[in-house]
């Protein structure tokens, strides 16, 4: 899963370079009729929606979905969804837009319960406690298990254990990813044991 995130990060860097050549940055507001927006639309490829979701670029996500005529529930060749991409990088605006744009409660649940080829849900991908909490507030099922038979909490605990074996104690205090991982585990553990 981490390797997949890095694959999108690399694609994202290429897309950002393309966008910069059109005068676009991280802005989430773009006029569809502007020459810049038209040029950006012409550079949209099949990976653009996932890159936009991972970057938190709502206008690019909307434009790319419209241009490519993809549904909100679109998944890439690995089953990786837009909601998983947004949750992975904790982009609440993107998560809110995706879920609020669902036309039926069934479509919303389909989006929340979608899993990739490894069985990981958007909760397995959540990058921060806030992302995990938002997903739970939207009706996410914390008991969903991936192909390894692990819930998001169990997966995050295994990820923490692997990370701790690789990290130096000095690196632990300032490592934002490690802090976020511990926060997710703490939050998900309270769902399993509400008295905590």
């Amino acid at each position: 899963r981490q390797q997949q995130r890095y694959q999108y990060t690399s694609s994202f860097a290429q897309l950002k370079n393309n966008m910069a050549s059109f005068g676009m940055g991280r802005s989430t507001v773009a006029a569809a009729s502007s020459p810049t927006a038209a040029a950006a639309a012409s550079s949209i490829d099949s990976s653009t929606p996932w890159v936009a979701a991972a970057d938190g670029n709502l206008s690019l996500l909307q434009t790319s979905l419209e241009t490519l005529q993809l549904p909100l529930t679109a998944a890439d060749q690995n089953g990786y969804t837009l909601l998983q991409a947004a949750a992975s990088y904790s982009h609440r605006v993107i998560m809110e837009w995706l879920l609020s744009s669902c036309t039926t409660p069934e479509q919303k649940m389909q989006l929340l319960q979608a899993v990739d080829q490894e069985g990981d849900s958007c909760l397995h991908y959540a990058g921060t406690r806030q992302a995990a909490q938002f997903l739970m507030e939207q009706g996410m099922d914390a008991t969903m298990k991936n192909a390894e038979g692990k819930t998001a909490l169990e997966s995050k605990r295994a990820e923490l254990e692997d990370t701790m074996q690789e990290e130096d104690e000095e690196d632990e205090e300032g490592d934002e990813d490690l802090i976020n991982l511990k926060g997710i585990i703490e939050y998900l553990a309270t769902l399993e044991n509400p008295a905590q």
Side-chain angles (χ1 to χ4, degrees):
R1 183 171 59 82
Q2 287 294 337
Q3 188 174 27
Q4 188 175 21
R5 273 178 73 175
Y6 297 127
Q7 173 188 351
Y8 286 104
T9 303
S10 174
S11 297
F12 169 67
Q14 291 171 340
L15 180 64
K16 271 184 96 170
N17 288 338
N18 290 343
M19 289 171 54
S21 70
F22 292 117
M24 295 182 67
R26 291 182 55 103
S27 173
T28 58
V29 178
S33 62
S34 75
T36 302
S42 70
S43 69
I44 290 173
D45 67 25
S46 62
S47 68
T48 304
W50 287 268
V51 174
D55 187 41
N57 190 329
L58 182 57
S59 65
L60 182 58
L61 174 60
Q62 292 167 331
T63 300
S64 62
L65 287 175
E66 184 178 329
T67 301
L68 299 171
Q69 298 181 356
L70 292 174
L72 300 170
T73 55
D76 72 3
Q77 69 275 10
N78 298 309
Y80 190 62
T81 68
L82 300 167
L83 186 59
Q84 290 168 342
S88 184
Y89 293 94
S90 305
H91 291 299
R92 184 176 176 132
V93 170
I94 302 294
M95 292 188 292
E96 287 174 345
W97 180 79
L98 288 166
L99 292 168
S100 68
S101 297
C102 291
T103 56
T104 65
E106 293 80 15
Q107 185 183 36
K108 180 179 177 181
M109 288 313 295
Q110 179 185 3
L111 199 56
L112 282 169
Q113 295 176 352
V115 296
D116 66 10
Q117 286 181 340
E118 296 175 0
D120 289 331
S121 69
C122 54
L123 191 58
H124 286 84
Y125 277 97
T128 63
R129 175 189 189 117
Q130 294 80 4
Q133 187 170 358
F134 173 77
L135 292 168
M136 291 304 300
E137 290 167 357
Q138 298 303 307
M140 185 69 210
D141 179 2
T143 64
M144 286 182 68
K145 295 185 177 190
N146 63 14
E148 294 179 342
K150 294 180 181 179
T151 64
L153 174 60
E154 293 164 338
S155 291
K156 296 292 185 184
R157 284 180 173 155
E159 188 178 336
L160 177 63
E161 187 176 312
D162 290 345
T163 302
M164 295 302 289
Q165 290 175 358
E166 297 170 5
E167 293 282 326
D168 291 350
E169 284 187 35
E170 293 175 13
D171 294 338
E172 285 182 37
E173 289 182 31
D175 187 337
E176 188 176 340
D177 289 336
L178 187 60
I179 292 167
N180 285 332
L181 185 56
K182 288 178 179 180
I184 296 166
I185 292 168
E186 181 181 288
Y187 170 70
L188 292 175
T190 65
L191 300 177
E192 196 174 78
N193 302 308
Q196 288 184 346

